């Protein structure tokens, strides 16, 4: 079930219990000369597969059994894996080896930490949102305490720079001087263009034509930074289509090119690698929480499209089972409208962009086009680790509509003087439902994943101010 060159394969959930075909023999067969393969057709094995067993490992520091995420095959339970053309297998293996090697390389870590500190501006503040907290106090004065993890204050205005910097350094170690990336809201594109300018790398960004219209400011920023922005007109001309086109480019130019994938999606090792490069968010949050109130957060909240900002915050706390993890998806015009991007809420299991995960798909396994007012959440899939955390009940996932997100966009602007990204606004909007249910003094940390100047032109069309 490797993806074709389009790198878009969707398998309806009903097919997952059926026999799976092994295609390794097909690759071998078609590598032979025509005369050598005429006598007999390829041998195709057919085996019944079961869901992989969730593996546990011992945490040496705490002596507690914890989940292994991912396992040695790049799977989170049954999710994840490598559903890609054979052309990319060597590049993915090389990338995984380089990642593990550099994770133990003190010089690499020192260089990365220095850039995150002096160039990106880490650590980002954990800010007590006093007026937002007051807004959610009940009539008796009780309510949760709301803190914002200020990823919007990073250089380039979002969390995306954490991963982009690390992958650019990794690409340099691999000797790759041509960088490609996909982008939806433009923040990952801007972050990638920024690090390519910083390190002197060629940069090509694929972006859906529709997203280029609603994120014209970020398109200009990318071009100003020296990147070539290539419009993608296929499909709905949004993030899914930009990702597909970036993978096609990578297949064609794999020897010279590194693909800086911007989310915890795609084939292994990307979900693991991008998560680790964003894990600094959760690590800082744990440290800052101890300094501010002497304990862990009670609840973590983040928006989820592909899911990188959420996994960056959640990862540090997955084994702290007393900490609630809440991800918020885009309900668009409403869950019953058919115009939404609530993959974990309404999706079924399938394969897209090289990994098994929850997808928005029809009964034939064809992708259903998503909708969100937020370009960064307008994606029909989600990271495989989020799918895994949902299935084992470790994380909760809910959704809010475009209109609810717009109201939250305005609310935070007026209460705290912080204009959030429309992606972040989805997480903020869920506070309307969540906060009335929480005990007094609950410590809630919401990941403010990006700033909203990129979304002002979109908001102008809908908000009266």
């Amino acid at each position: 079930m490797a993806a074709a060159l389009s790198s878009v394969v969707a398998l309806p959930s009903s097919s997952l219990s059926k026999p799976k075909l092994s295609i390794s023999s097909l690759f071998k067969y078609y590598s032979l000369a025509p005369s050598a393969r005429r006598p007999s057709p390829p041998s195709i094995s057919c085996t019944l597969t079961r869901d992989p067993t969730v593996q546990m490992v011992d945490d040496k520091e705490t002596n507690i059994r914890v989940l292994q995420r991912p396992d040695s095959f790049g799977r989170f339970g049954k999710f994840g894996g490598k559903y890609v053309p054979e052309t990319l297998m060597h590049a993915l293996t090389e990338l995984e080896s380089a990642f593990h090697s550099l994770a133990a390389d003190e010089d690499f870590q020192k260089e990365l930490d220095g850039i995150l500190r002096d160039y990106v501006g880490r650590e980002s503040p954990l800010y007590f949102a006093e007026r937002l907290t007051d807004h959610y106090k009940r009539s008796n004065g009780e309510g949760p305490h709301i803190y914002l993890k200020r990823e919007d204050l990073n250089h380039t205005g979002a969390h995306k720079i954490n991963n982009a910097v690390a992958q650019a350094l990794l690409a340099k170690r691999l000797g790759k001087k041509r960088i490609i990336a996909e982008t939806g809201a433009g923040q990952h594109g801007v972050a990638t263009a920024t690090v390519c300018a910083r390190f002197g790398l060629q940069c090509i960004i694929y972006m859906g034509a529709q997203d280029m219209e609603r994120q014209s400011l970020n398109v200009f920023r990318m071009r100003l930074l020296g990147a070539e922005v290539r419009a993608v007109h296929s499909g709905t001309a949004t993030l899914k289509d930009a990702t597909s086109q970036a993978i096609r480019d990578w297949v064609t130019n794999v020897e010279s090119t590194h693909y800086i994938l911007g989310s915890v999606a795609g084939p292994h090792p990307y979900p693991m690698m991008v998560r680790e490069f964003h894990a600094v968010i959760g690590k800082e949050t744990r440290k800052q929480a101890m300094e501010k109130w002497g304990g862990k957060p009670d609840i973590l909240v983040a928006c989820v499209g592909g899911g990188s900002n959420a996994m960056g915050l959640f990862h540090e706390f997955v084994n702290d089972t007393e900490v609630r993890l809440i991800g918020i998806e885009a309900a668009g015009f409403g869950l019953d409208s058919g115009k939404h991007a609530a993959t974990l809420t309404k999706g079924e299991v399938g394969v897209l962009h090289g990994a098994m995960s929850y997808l928005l798909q029809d009964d034939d396994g064809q992708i259903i086009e998503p909708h969100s007012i937020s370009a960064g959440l307008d994606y029909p899939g989600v990271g495989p680790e989020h799918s895994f955390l949902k299935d084992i009940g470790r994380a909760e996932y809910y959704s809010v509509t475009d209109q609810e997100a717009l109201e939250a966009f305005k609310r935070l602007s007026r209460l705290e003087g912080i204009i959030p990204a429309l992606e972040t606004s989805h997480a903020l909007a869920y506070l309307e439902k969540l906060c009335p249910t929480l005990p007094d003094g609950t410590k809630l940390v919401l990941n403010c994943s990006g700033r909203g100047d990129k979304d002002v032109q979109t908001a102008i069309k809908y908000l009266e101010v």
Side-chain angles (χ1 to χ4, degrees), residues 362-375:
D362 62 22
D363 291 339
D364 296 320
Q366 299 303 306
I367 295 299
I368 297 172
E369 302 301 346
H371 162 78
S372 173
I373 194 171
S374 162

Side-chain angles (χ1 to χ4, degrees), residues 3 37 48 64 122 155 166 180 190 202 243 247 267 355 363 366 390 441 453 459:
R37 67 180 189 232
L48 287 172
I64 295 174
R122 302 210 71 92
H155 181 39
I180 60 172
V190 169
Q202 181 187 1
T243 304
I247 295 175
D363 291 339
Q366 299 303 306
K390 174 198 170 177
D453 26 345

Side-chain angles (χ1 to χ4, degrees), residues 203-335:
C203 182
I204 297 168
I205 305 294
Y206 288 95
M207 190 171 189
Q210 179 178 323
D211 289 341
M212 289 181 70
E213 290 183 15
R214 55 181 172 176
Q215 297 295 336
S216 57
L217 173 62
N218 275 341
V219 173
F220 177 78
R221 292 170 73 192
M222 286 183 271
R223 288 172 172 162
L224 181 64
L225 289 161
E228 177 188 349
V229 183
R230 296 184 180 177
V232 179
H233 296 276
S234 59
T236 54
T238 54
L239 179 57
K240 170 183 70 70
D241 311 294
T243 304
S244 297
Q245 194 61 41
I247 295 175
R248 291 188 190 102
D249 183 314
W250 196 28
V251 170
T252 306
N253 302 287
V254 67
E255 294 299 325
S256 63
T257 299
H258 176 66
Y259 179 16
I260 299 185
L261 205 157
S263 195
V264 287
H268 180 69
Y270 279 107
M272 171 189 70
M273 189 170 68
V274 175
R275 178 197 72 193
E276 292 299 323
F277 290 149
H278 281 306
V280 63
I281 301 171
K283 291 176 182 176
E284 288 179 3
T285 298
R286 182 186 291 275
K287 170 178 169 288
Q288 292 165 327
M290 286 299 297
E291 292 171 350
K292 287 182 178 293
W293 64 81
K296 304 170 189 174
D298 296 304
I299 301 176
L300 303 176
V301 182
C303 63
V304 175
S308 61
N309 92 90
M311 277 315 309
L313 180 63
F314 292 175
H315 178 55
E316 174 71 13
F317 297 94
V318 167
N319 294 320
D320 296 296
T321 54
E322 70 277 19
V323 179
R324 286 179 69 186
L325 311 178
I326 301 177
I328 307 302
E329 299 185 295
F333 294 142
L335 293 178

Side-chain angles (χ1 to χ4, degrees), residues 109-123:
Q109 292 298 330
K110 185 176 180 180
E111 183 178 9
L112 177 58
D113 290 345
I115 294 171
L116 289 174
R117 181 186 65 245
D118 299 332
Y119 187 67
V120 174
R122 302 210 71 92
E123 60 186 40

